[in-house]
Amino acid sequence: MAVIDTDRDLVALINTFTVEPRDQERLVELLHEATEDVMRHFPGFVSANVHVGLDGTKVCNYAQWESEEHFTKAIEHPDAQPHFTQCRAIATSVSALYRLRFTEGLED
């Protein structure tokens, strides 16, 4: 897990995939490969996590980037496209990009 400095702005991409149970493991492998082989080597990448649904039909991918510009350059890069194509072949997804601000802590 990446350590994130407080008072830092980031963006987070959350992809929620719907997949057939027989393809859930393959989708997780594809997302892991995309992170390890491609995304983590791009400037501005912070971290990524994958969560699977117990019923076998959902996968959630969460990735953090230093800026929207870093994120956009990474997903538009030709090295990333084969991973996206393979994911789309076995799953549908809903994606959202969020701006985050990390602070010291919350007041009670």
Side-chain angles (χ1 to χ4, degrees):
M1 184 73 115
V3 175
I4 300 169
D5 295 331
T6 57
D7 295 324
R8 181 174 178 188
D9 291 324
L10 297 175
V11 294
L13 173 69
I14 300 176
N15 284 315
T16 304
F17 294 91
T18 301
V19 63
E20 291 293 325
R22 69 179 179 273
D23 294 324
Q24 186 186 47
E25 186 175 331
R26 179 63 184 138
L27 180 60
V28 170
E29 289 172 1
L30 288 169
L31 293 170
H32 179 73
E33 290 170 6
T35 299
E36 291 302 311
D37 297 344
V38 181
M39 296 297 176
R40 74 181 188 99
H41 300 288
F42 285 112
F45 177 79
V46 176
S47 69
N49 292 293
V50 175
H51 304 275
V52 296
L54 296 177
D55 69 355
T57 66
K58 297 292 182 192
V59 174
C60 184
N61 180 39
Y62 176 84
Q64 295 176 338
W65 296 85
E66 289 180 1
S67 70
E68 192 169 342
E69 292 77 23
H70 284 110
F71 164 76
T72 301
K73 285 180 183 178
I75 66 166
E76 291 177 351
H77 196 279
D79 290 348
Q81 296 310 308
H83 295 283
F84 299 144
T85 300
Q86 292 178 61
C87 289
R88 284 191 296 269
I90 61 172
T92 58
S93 68
V94 175
S95 302
L97 190 63
Y98 298 91
R99 296 186 192 288
L100 307 175
R101 177 85 174 158
F102 290 88
T103 59
E104 273 300 321
L106 300 175
E107 298 289 325
D108 288 334

PDB file of all heavy atoms in Angstrom, residues 14-32 48-62:
ATOM      1  N   ILE A  14     -12.110   4.918 -10.170  1.00  0.00           N
ATOM      2  CA  ILE A  14     -12.791   3.732  -9.675  1.00  0.00           C
ATOM      3  C   ILE A  14     -13.563   3.125 -10.835  1.00  0.00           C
ATOM      4  O   ILE A  14     -14.434   3.762 -11.416  1.00  0.00           O
ATOM      5  CB  ILE A  14     -13.732   4.053  -8.496  1.00  0.00           C
ATOM      6  CG1 ILE A  14     -12.925   4.650  -7.343  1.00  0.00           C
ATOM      7  CG2 ILE A  14     -14.486   2.788  -8.066  1.00  0.00           C
ATOM      8  CD1 ILE A  14     -13.759   5.087  -6.162  1.00  0.00           C
ATOM      9  N   ASN A  15     -13.193   1.905 -11.189  1.00  0.00           N
ATOM     10  CA  ASN A  15     -13.880   1.128 -12.223  1.00  0.00           C
ATOM     11  C   ASN A  15     -14.650   0.019 -11.533  1.00  0.00           C
ATOM     12  O   ASN A  15     -14.069  -0.761 -10.778  1.00  0.00           O
ATOM     13  CB  ASN A  15     -12.885   0.453 -13.172  1.00  0.00           C
ATOM     14  CG  ASN A  15     -12.267   1.402 -14.155  1.00  0.00           C
ATOM     15  OD1 ASN A  15     -12.953   2.211 -14.745  1.00  0.00           O
ATOM     16  ND2 ASN A  15     -10.971   1.290 -14.332  1.00  0.00           N
ATOM     17  N   THR A  16     -15.931  -0.080 -11.786  1.00  0.00           N
ATOM     18  CA  THR A  16     -16.729  -1.192 -11.283  1.00  0.00           C
ATOM     19  C   THR A  16     -17.124  -2.045 -12.484  1.00  0.00           C
ATOM     20  O   THR A  16     -17.854  -1.597 -13.357  1.00  0.00           O
ATOM     21  CB  THR A  16     -17.981  -0.691 -10.548  1.00  0.00           C
ATOM     22  OG1 THR A  16     -17.563   0.190  -9.498  1.00  0.00           O
ATOM     23  CG2 THR A  16     -18.758  -1.853  -9.955  1.00  0.00           C
ATOM     24  N   PHE A  17     -16.590  -3.255 -12.521  1.00  0.00           N
ATOM     25  CA  PHE A  17     -16.810  -4.171 -13.633  1.00  0.00           C
ATOM     26  C   PHE A  17     -17.893  -5.186 -13.292  1.00  0.00           C
ATOM     27  O   PHE A  17     -17.959  -5.671 -12.157  1.00  0.00           O
ATOM     28  CB  PHE A  17     -15.530  -4.953 -13.948  1.00  0.00           C
ATOM     29  CG  PHE A  17     -14.405  -4.114 -14.470  1.00  0.00           C
ATOM     30  CD1 PHE A  17     -13.471  -3.554 -13.607  1.00  0.00           C
ATOM     31  CD2 PHE A  17     -14.264  -3.889 -15.832  1.00  0.00           C
ATOM     32  CE1 PHE A  17     -12.424  -2.791 -14.082  1.00  0.00           C
ATOM     33  CE2 PHE A  17     -13.212  -3.127 -16.315  1.00  0.00           C
ATOM     34  CZ  PHE A  17     -12.291  -2.576 -15.439  1.00  0.00           C
ATOM     35  N   THR A  18     -18.678  -5.533 -14.292  1.00  0.00           N
ATOM     36  CA  THR A  18     -19.606  -6.654 -14.203  1.00  0.00           C
ATOM     37  C   THR A  18     -19.092  -7.712 -15.168  1.00  0.00           C
ATOM     38  O   THR A  18     -18.803  -7.413 -16.332  1.00  0.00           O
ATOM     39  CB  THR A  18     -21.036  -6.228 -14.581  1.00  0.00           C
ATOM     40  OG1 THR A  18     -21.442  -5.174 -13.696  1.00  0.00           O
ATOM     41  CG2 THR A  18     -22.000  -7.397 -14.455  1.00  0.00           C
ATOM     42  N   VAL A  19     -18.983  -8.933 -14.660  1.00  0.00           N
ATOM     43  CA  VAL A  19     -18.342 -10.000 -15.414  1.00  0.00           C
ATOM     44  C   VAL A  19     -19.062 -11.320 -15.136  1.00  0.00           C
ATOM     45  O   VAL A  19     -19.678 -11.478 -14.079  1.00  0.00           O
ATOM     46  CB  VAL A  19     -16.837 -10.073 -15.027  1.00  0.00           C
ATOM     47  CG1 VAL A  19     -16.652 -10.433 -13.576  1.00  0.00           C
ATOM     48  CG2 VAL A  19     -16.047 -10.980 -15.917  1.00  0.00           C
ATOM     49  N   GLU A  20     -18.985 -12.235 -16.068  1.00  0.00           N
ATOM     50  CA  GLU A  20     -19.497 -13.579 -15.819  1.00  0.00           C
ATOM     51  C   GLU A  20     -18.586 -14.247 -14.784  1.00  0.00           C
ATOM     52  O   GLU A  20     -17.367 -14.055 -14.832  1.00  0.00           O
ATOM     53  CB  GLU A  20     -19.509 -14.408 -17.111  1.00  0.00           C
ATOM     54  CG  GLU A  20     -20.518 -13.948 -18.137  1.00  0.00           C
ATOM     55  CD  GLU A  20     -21.945 -14.156 -17.669  1.00  0.00           C
ATOM     56  OE1 GLU A  20     -22.213 -15.160 -16.973  1.00  0.00           O
ATOM     57  OE2 GLU A  20     -22.799 -13.309 -18.000  1.00  0.00           O
ATOM     58  N   PRO A  21     -19.144 -15.037 -13.870  1.00  0.00           N
ATOM     59  CA  PRO A  21     -18.311 -15.679 -12.851  1.00  0.00           C
ATOM     60  C   PRO A  21     -17.120 -16.451 -13.421  1.00  0.00           C
ATOM     61  O   PRO A  21     -16.032 -16.421 -12.833  1.00  0.00           O
ATOM     62  CB  PRO A  21     -19.289 -16.604 -12.125  1.00  0.00           C
ATOM     63  CG  PRO A  21     -20.603 -15.919 -12.261  1.00  0.00           C
ATOM     64  CD  PRO A  21     -20.573 -15.312 -13.652  1.00  0.00           C
ATOM     65  N   ARG A  22     -17.281 -17.076 -14.579  1.00  0.00           N
ATOM     66  CA  ARG A  22     -16.176 -17.841 -15.173  1.00  0.00           C
ATOM     67  C   ARG A  22     -15.012 -16.931 -15.599  1.00  0.00           C
ATOM     68  O   ARG A  22     -13.891 -17.404 -15.790  1.00  0.00           O
ATOM     69  CB  ARG A  22     -16.681 -18.658 -16.362  1.00  0.00           C
ATOM     70  CG  ARG A  22     -17.087 -17.816 -17.556  1.00  0.00           C
ATOM     71  CD  ARG A  22     -17.561 -18.650 -18.743  1.00  0.00           C
ATOM     72  NE  ARG A  22     -17.950 -17.803 -19.836  1.00  0.00           N
ATOM     73  CZ  ARG A  22     -19.161 -17.278 -20.006  1.00  0.00           C
ATOM     74  NH1 ARG A  22     -20.121 -17.560 -19.134  1.00  0.00           N
ATOM     75  NH2 ARG A  22     -19.428 -16.494 -21.038  1.00  0.00           N
ATOM     76  N   ASP A  23     -15.273 -15.620 -15.790  1.00  0.00           N
ATOM     77  CA  ASP A  23     -14.248 -14.680 -16.252  1.00  0.00           C
ATOM     78  C   ASP A  23     -13.692 -13.779 -15.146  1.00  0.00           C
ATOM     79  O   ASP A  23     -12.798 -12.969 -15.418  1.00  0.00           O
ATOM     80  CB  ASP A  23     -14.814 -13.803 -17.369  1.00  0.00           C
ATOM     81  CG  ASP A  23     -15.130 -14.593 -18.624  1.00  0.00           C
ATOM     82  OD1 ASP A  23     -14.383 -15.544 -18.939  1.00  0.00           O
ATOM     83  OD2 ASP A  23     -16.128 -14.254 -19.299  1.00  0.00           O
ATOM     84  N   GLN A  24     -14.206 -13.896 -13.937  1.00  0.00           N
ATOM     85  CA  GLN A  24     -13.772 -12.987 -12.874  1.00  0.00           C
ATOM     86  C   GLN A  24     -12.269 -13.108 -12.605  1.00  0.00           C
ATOM     87  O   GLN A  24     -11.570 -12.099 -12.525  1.00  0.00           O
ATOM     88  CB  GLN A  24     -14.551 -13.233 -11.582  1.00  0.00           C
ATOM     89  CG  GLN A  24     -14.220 -12.197 -10.508  1.00  0.00           C
ATOM     90  CD  GLN A  24     -14.878 -12.500  -9.179  1.00  0.00           C
ATOM     91  OE1 GLN A  24     -14.833 -13.626  -8.705  1.00  0.00           O
ATOM     92  NE2 GLN A  24     -15.484 -11.491  -8.592  1.00  0.00           N
ATOM     93  N   GLU A  25     -11.768 -14.316 -12.488  1.00  0.00           N
ATOM     94  CA  GLU A  25     -10.340 -14.502 -12.207  1.00  0.00           C
ATOM     95  C   GLU A  25      -9.485 -13.935 -13.337  1.00  0.00           C
ATOM     96  O   GLU A  25      -8.463 -13.292 -13.089  1.00  0.00           O
ATOM     97  CB  GLU A  25     -10.037 -15.984 -12.004  1.00  0.00           C
ATOM     98  CG  GLU A  25      -8.617 -16.234 -11.559  1.00  0.00           C
ATOM     99  CD  GLU A  25      -8.354 -17.700 -11.249  1.00  0.00           C
ATOM    100  OE1 GLU A  25      -9.289 -18.422 -10.841  1.00  0.00           O
ATOM    101  OE2 GLU A  25      -7.192 -18.120 -11.420  1.00  0.00           O
ATOM    102  N   ARG A  26      -9.881 -14.137 -14.584  1.00  0.00           N
ATOM    103  CA  ARG A  26      -9.130 -13.601 -15.726  1.00  0.00           C
ATOM    104  C   ARG A  26      -9.136 -12.078 -15.717  1.00  0.00           C
ATOM    105  O   ARG A  26      -8.107 -11.449 -16.005  1.00  0.00           O
ATOM    106  CB  ARG A  26      -9.713 -14.125 -17.046  1.00  0.00           C
ATOM    107  CG  ARG A  26      -9.000 -13.586 -18.272  1.00  0.00           C
ATOM    108  CD  ARG A  26      -7.548 -14.020 -18.324  1.00  0.00           C
ATOM    109  NE  ARG A  26      -6.875 -13.414 -19.470  1.00  0.00           N
ATOM    110  CZ  ARG A  26      -5.658 -12.918 -19.428  1.00  0.00           C
ATOM    111  NH1 ARG A  26      -4.938 -12.990 -18.326  1.00  0.00           N
ATOM    112  NH2 ARG A  26      -5.124 -12.376 -20.501  1.00  0.00           N
ATOM    113  N   LEU A  27     -10.260 -11.473 -15.379  1.00  0.00           N
ATOM    114  CA  LEU A  27     -10.322 -10.016 -15.305  1.00  0.00           C
ATOM    115  C   LEU A  27      -9.367  -9.490 -14.233  1.00  0.00           C
ATOM    116  O   LEU A  27      -8.644  -8.519 -14.462  1.00  0.00           O
ATOM    117  CB  LEU A  27     -11.752  -9.545 -15.027  1.00  0.00           C
ATOM    118  CG  LEU A  27     -11.945  -8.037 -14.918  1.00  0.00           C
ATOM    119  CD1 LEU A  27     -11.527  -7.326 -16.205  1.00  0.00           C
ATOM    120  CD2 LEU A  27     -13.383  -7.714 -14.565  1.00  0.00           C
ATOM    121  N   VAL A  28      -9.338 -10.134 -13.092  1.00  0.00           N
ATOM    122  CA  VAL A  28      -8.402  -9.727 -12.028  1.00  0.00           C
ATOM    123  C   VAL A  28      -6.969  -9.841 -12.525  1.00  0.00           C
ATOM    124  O   VAL A  28      -6.146  -8.954 -12.284  1.00  0.00           O
ATOM    125  CB  VAL A  28      -8.641 -10.550 -10.745  1.00  0.00           C
ATOM    126  CG1 VAL A  28      -7.537 -10.307  -9.729  1.00  0.00           C
ATOM    127  CG2 VAL A  28     -10.005 -10.225 -10.152  1.00  0.00           C
ATOM    128  N   GLU A  29      -6.651 -10.910 -13.235  1.00  0.00           N
ATOM    129  CA  GLU A  29      -5.301 -11.077 -13.793  1.00  0.00           C
ATOM    130  C   GLU A  29      -4.973  -9.943 -14.769  1.00  0.00           C
ATOM    131  O   GLU A  29      -3.867  -9.393 -14.738  1.00  0.00           O
ATOM    132  CB  GLU A  29      -5.188 -12.417 -14.519  1.00  0.00           C
ATOM    133  CG  GLU A  29      -5.189 -13.618 -13.608  1.00  0.00           C
ATOM    134  CD  GLU A  29      -5.277 -14.931 -14.376  1.00  0.00           C
ATOM    135  OE1 GLU A  29      -5.326 -14.920 -15.638  1.00  0.00           O
ATOM    136  OE2 GLU A  29      -5.325 -15.976 -13.709  1.00  0.00           O
ATOM    137  N   LEU A  30      -5.922  -9.605 -15.637  1.00  0.00           N
ATOM    138  CA  LEU A  30      -5.694  -8.525 -16.603  1.00  0.00           C
ATOM    139  C   LEU A  30      -5.450  -7.190 -15.909  1.00  0.00           C
ATOM    140  O   LEU A  30      -4.557  -6.426 -16.306  1.00  0.00           O
ATOM    141  CB  LEU A  30      -6.888  -8.396 -17.552  1.00  0.00           C
ATOM    142  CG  LEU A  30      -7.051  -9.490 -18.593  1.00  0.00           C
ATOM    143  CD1 LEU A  30      -8.414  -9.383 -19.267  1.00  0.00           C
ATOM    144  CD2 LEU A  30      -5.923  -9.413 -19.623  1.00  0.00           C
ATOM    145  N   LEU A  31      -6.228  -6.890 -14.878  1.00  0.00           N
ATOM    146  CA  LEU A  31      -6.052  -5.632 -14.146  1.00  0.00           C
ATOM    147  C   LEU A  31      -4.715  -5.609 -13.419  1.00  0.00           C
ATOM    148  O   LEU A  31      -4.030  -4.585 -13.392  1.00  0.00           O
ATOM    149  CB  LEU A  31      -7.213  -5.430 -13.175  1.00  0.00           C
ATOM    150  CG  LEU A  31      -8.575  -5.197 -13.835  1.00  0.00           C
ATOM    151  CD1 LEU A  31      -9.683  -5.262 -12.801  1.00  0.00           C
ATOM    152  CD2 LEU A  31      -8.601  -3.884 -14.593  1.00  0.00           C
ATOM    153  N   HIS A  32      -4.337  -6.741 -12.853  1.00  0.00           N
ATOM    154  CA  HIS A  32      -3.041  -6.830 -12.172  1.00  0.00           C
ATOM    155  C   HIS A  32      -1.900  -6.636 -13.182  1.00  0.00           C
ATOM    156  O   HIS A  32      -0.954  -5.884 -12.915  1.00  0.00           O
ATOM    157  CB  HIS A  32      -2.910  -8.178 -11.455  1.00  0.00           C
ATOM    158  CG  HIS A  32      -1.607  -8.352 -10.764  1.00  0.00           C
ATOM    159  ND1 HIS A  32      -1.297  -7.682  -9.592  1.00  0.00           N
ATOM    160  CD2 HIS A  32      -0.519  -9.090 -11.078  1.00  0.00           C
ATOM    161  CE1 HIS A  32      -0.071  -8.017  -9.218  1.00  0.00           C
ATOM    162  NE2 HIS A  32       0.414  -8.870 -10.104  1.00  0.00           N
ATOM    163  N   ALA A  48      -2.657   1.167  -6.782  1.00  0.00           N
ATOM    164  CA  ALA A  48      -3.865   0.549  -7.339  1.00  0.00           C
ATOM    165  C   ALA A  48      -4.236  -0.661  -6.495  1.00  0.00           C
ATOM    166  O   ALA A  48      -3.371  -1.308  -5.909  1.00  0.00           O
ATOM    167  CB  ALA A  48      -3.637   0.131  -8.787  1.00  0.00           C
ATOM    168  N   ASN A  49      -5.517  -0.937  -6.442  1.00  0.00           N
ATOM    169  CA  ASN A  49      -6.044  -2.099  -5.730  1.00  0.00           C
ATOM    170  C   ASN A  49      -7.180  -2.691  -6.537  1.00  0.00           C
ATOM    171  O   ASN A  49      -7.875  -1.988  -7.263  1.00  0.00           O
ATOM    172  CB  ASN A  49      -6.597  -1.696  -4.351  1.00  0.00           C
ATOM    173  CG  ASN A  49      -5.513  -1.257  -3.409  1.00  0.00           C
ATOM    174  OD1 ASN A  49      -4.696  -2.057  -3.012  1.00  0.00           O
ATOM    175  ND2 ASN A  49      -5.491   0.027  -3.077  1.00  0.00           N
ATOM    176  N   VAL A  50      -7.379  -3.991  -6.369  1.00  0.00           N
ATOM    177  CA  VAL A  50      -8.495  -4.689  -7.005  1.00  0.00           C
ATOM    178  C   VAL A  50      -9.272  -5.413  -5.915  1.00  0.00           C
ATOM    179  O   VAL A  50      -8.688  -6.055  -5.043  1.00  0.00           O
ATOM    180  CB  VAL A  50      -8.003  -5.708  -8.055  1.00  0.00           C
ATOM    181  CG1 VAL A  50      -9.155  -6.516  -8.618  1.00  0.00           C
ATOM    182  CG2 VAL A  50      -7.258  -4.992  -9.177  1.00  0.00           C
ATOM    183  N   HIS A  51     -10.587  -5.284  -5.964  1.00  0.00           N
ATOM    184  CA  HIS A  51     -11.480  -5.957  -5.023  1.00  0.00           C
ATOM    185  C   HIS A  51     -12.461  -6.802  -5.826  1.00  0.00           C
ATOM    186  O   HIS A  51     -12.969  -6.353  -6.846  1.00  0.00           O
ATOM    187  CB  HIS A  51     -12.243  -4.936  -4.172  1.00  0.00           C
ATOM    188  CG  HIS A  51     -11.342  -3.999  -3.444  1.00  0.00           C
ATOM    189  ND1 HIS A  51     -10.792  -4.302  -2.231  1.00  0.00           N
ATOM    190  CD2 HIS A  51     -10.865  -2.782  -3.788  1.00  0.00           C
ATOM    191  CE1 HIS A  51     -10.024  -3.298  -1.834  1.00  0.00           C
ATOM    192  NE2 HIS A  51     -10.052  -2.361  -2.771  1.00  0.00           N
ATOM    193  N   VAL A  52     -12.719  -8.024  -5.355  1.00  0.00           N
ATOM    194  CA  VAL A  52     -13.645  -8.905  -6.067  1.00  0.00           C
ATOM    195  C   VAL A  52     -14.905  -9.132  -5.251  1.00  0.00           C
ATOM    196  O   VAL A  52     -14.864  -9.186  -4.022  1.00  0.00           O
ATOM    197  CB  VAL A  52     -12.999 -10.267  -6.412  1.00  0.00           C
ATOM    198  CG1 VAL A  52     -11.847 -10.085  -7.370  1.00  0.00           C
ATOM    199  CG2 VAL A  52     -12.552 -11.001  -5.171  1.00  0.00           C
ATOM    200  N   GLY A  53     -16.015  -9.264  -5.946  1.00  0.00           N
ATOM    201  CA  GLY A  53     -17.288  -9.575  -5.309  1.00  0.00           C
ATOM    202  C   GLY A  53     -17.372 -11.068  -5.031  1.00  0.00           C
ATOM    203  O   GLY A  53     -16.893 -11.892  -5.804  1.00  0.00           O
ATOM    204  N   LEU A  54     -17.991 -11.425  -3.932  1.00  0.00           N
ATOM    205  CA  LEU A  54     -18.094 -12.825  -3.544  1.00  0.00           C
ATOM    206  C   LEU A  54     -18.991 -13.635  -4.467  1.00  0.00           C
ATOM    207  O   LEU A  54     -18.852 -14.850  -4.565  1.00  0.00           O
ATOM    208  CB  LEU A  54     -18.581 -12.930  -2.099  1.00  0.00           C
ATOM    209  CG  LEU A  54     -17.626 -12.341  -1.055  1.00  0.00           C
ATOM    210  CD1 LEU A  54     -18.250 -12.442   0.330  1.00  0.00           C
ATOM    211  CD2 LEU A  54     -16.280 -13.035  -1.092  1.00  0.00           C
ATOM    212  N   ASP A  55     -19.914 -12.968  -5.167  1.00  0.00           N
ATOM    213  CA  ASP A  55     -20.801 -13.712  -6.067  1.00  0.00           C
ATOM    214  C   ASP A  55     -20.167 -13.996  -7.427  1.00  0.00           C
ATOM    215  O   ASP A  55     -20.769 -14.638  -8.281  1.00  0.00           O
ATOM    216  CB  ASP A  55     -22.128 -12.983  -6.245  1.00  0.00           C
ATOM    217  CG  ASP A  55     -21.998 -11.686  -7.030  1.00  0.00           C
ATOM    218  OD1 ASP A  55     -20.865 -11.273  -7.371  1.00  0.00           O
ATOM    219  OD2 ASP A  55     -23.034 -11.054  -7.303  1.00  0.00           O
ATOM    220  N   GLY A  56     -18.953 -13.507  -7.641  1.00  0.00           N
ATOM    221  CA  GLY A  56     -18.242 -13.781  -8.881  1.00  0.00           C
ATOM    222  C   GLY A  56     -18.580 -12.874 -10.042  1.00  0.00           C
ATOM    223  O   GLY A  56     -18.014 -13.025 -11.120  1.00  0.00           O
ATOM    224  N   THR A  57     -19.476 -11.911  -9.858  1.00  0.00           N
ATOM    225  CA  THR A  57     -19.899 -11.069 -10.983  1.00  0.00           C
ATOM    226  C   THR A  57     -19.374  -9.634 -10.920  1.00  0.00           C
ATOM    227  O   THR A  57     -19.592  -8.879 -11.859  1.00  0.00           O
ATOM    228  CB  THR A  57     -21.437 -11.001 -11.077  1.00  0.00           C
ATOM    229  OG1 THR A  57     -21.949 -10.321  -9.928  1.00  0.00           O
ATOM    230  CG2 THR A  57     -22.041 -12.392 -11.200  1.00  0.00           C
ATOM    231  N   LYS A  58     -18.710  -9.254  -9.856  1.00  0.00           N
ATOM    232  CA  LYS A  58     -18.226  -7.872  -9.716  1.00  0.00           C
ATOM    233  C   LYS A  58     -16.725  -7.853  -9.434  1.00  0.00           C
ATOM    234  O   LYS A  58     -16.190  -8.705  -8.722  1.00  0.00           O
ATOM    235  CB  LYS A  58     -18.940  -7.140  -8.573  1.00  0.00           C
ATOM    236  CG  LYS A  58     -20.420  -6.965  -8.772  1.00  0.00           C
ATOM    237  CD  LYS A  58     -20.722  -6.004  -9.904  1.00  0.00           C
ATOM    238  CE  LYS A  58     -22.220  -5.812 -10.028  1.00  0.00           C
ATOM    239  NZ  LYS A  58     -22.577  -5.134 -11.239  1.00  0.00           N
ATOM    240  N   VAL A  59     -16.075  -6.850  -9.997  1.00  0.00           N
ATOM    241  CA  VAL A  59     -14.678  -6.548  -9.716  1.00  0.00           C
ATOM    242  C   VAL A  59     -14.582  -5.035  -9.661  1.00  0.00           C
ATOM    243  O   VAL A  59     -15.116  -4.340 -10.526  1.00  0.00           O
ATOM    244  CB  VAL A  59     -13.720  -7.100 -10.797  1.00  0.00           C
ATOM    245  CG1 VAL A  59     -12.292  -6.652 -10.546  1.00  0.00           C
ATOM    246  CG2 VAL A  59     -13.803  -8.619 -10.876  1.00  0.00           C
ATOM    247  N   CYS A  60     -13.906  -4.514  -8.661  1.00  0.00           N
ATOM    248  CA  CYS A  60     -13.700  -3.070  -8.538  1.00  0.00           C
ATOM    249  C   CYS A  60     -12.198  -2.795  -8.584  1.00  0.00           C
ATOM    250  O   CYS A  60     -11.423  -3.428  -7.869  1.00  0.00           O
ATOM    251  CB  CYS A  60     -14.300  -2.556  -7.232  1.00  0.00           C
ATOM    252  SG  CYS A  60     -14.189  -0.769  -7.071  1.00  0.00           S
ATOM    253  N   ASN A  61     -11.812  -1.885  -9.441  1.00  0.00           N
ATOM    254  CA  ASN A  61     -10.413  -1.481  -9.584  1.00  0.00           C
ATOM    255  C   ASN A  61     -10.308  -0.023  -9.139  1.00  0.00           C
ATOM    256  O   ASN A  61     -11.063   0.824  -9.610  1.00  0.00           O
ATOM    257  CB  ASN A  61      -9.991  -1.630 -11.047  1.00  0.00           C
ATOM    258  CG  ASN A  61      -8.564  -1.228 -11.279  1.00  0.00           C
ATOM    259  OD1 ASN A  61      -7.700  -1.498 -10.476  1.00  0.00           O
ATOM    260  ND2 ASN A  61      -8.320  -0.593 -12.397  1.00  0.00           N
ATOM    261  N   TYR A  62      -9.372   0.248  -8.229  1.00  0.00           N
ATOM    262  CA  TYR A  62      -9.187   1.573  -7.669  1.00  0.00           C
ATOM    263  C   TYR A  62      -7.740   1.979  -7.916  1.00  0.00           C
ATOM    264  O   TYR A  62      -6.827   1.261  -7.504  1.00  0.00           O
ATOM    265  CB  TYR A  62      -9.490   1.512  -6.173  1.00  0.00           C
ATOM    266  CG  TYR A  62      -9.260   2.778  -5.403  1.00  0.00           C
ATOM    267  CD1 TYR A  62     -10.236   3.756  -5.354  1.00  0.00           C
ATOM    268  CD2 TYR A  62      -8.074   2.998  -4.716  1.00  0.00           C
ATOM    269  CE1 TYR A  62     -10.042   4.916  -4.633  1.00  0.00           C
ATOM    270  CE2 TYR A  62      -7.867   4.156  -3.993  1.00  0.00           C
ATOM    271  CZ  TYR A  62      -8.849   5.105  -3.949  1.00  0.00           C
ATOM    272  OH  TYR A  62      -8.657   6.258  -3.242  1.00  0.00           O
TER     273      TYR A  62
END
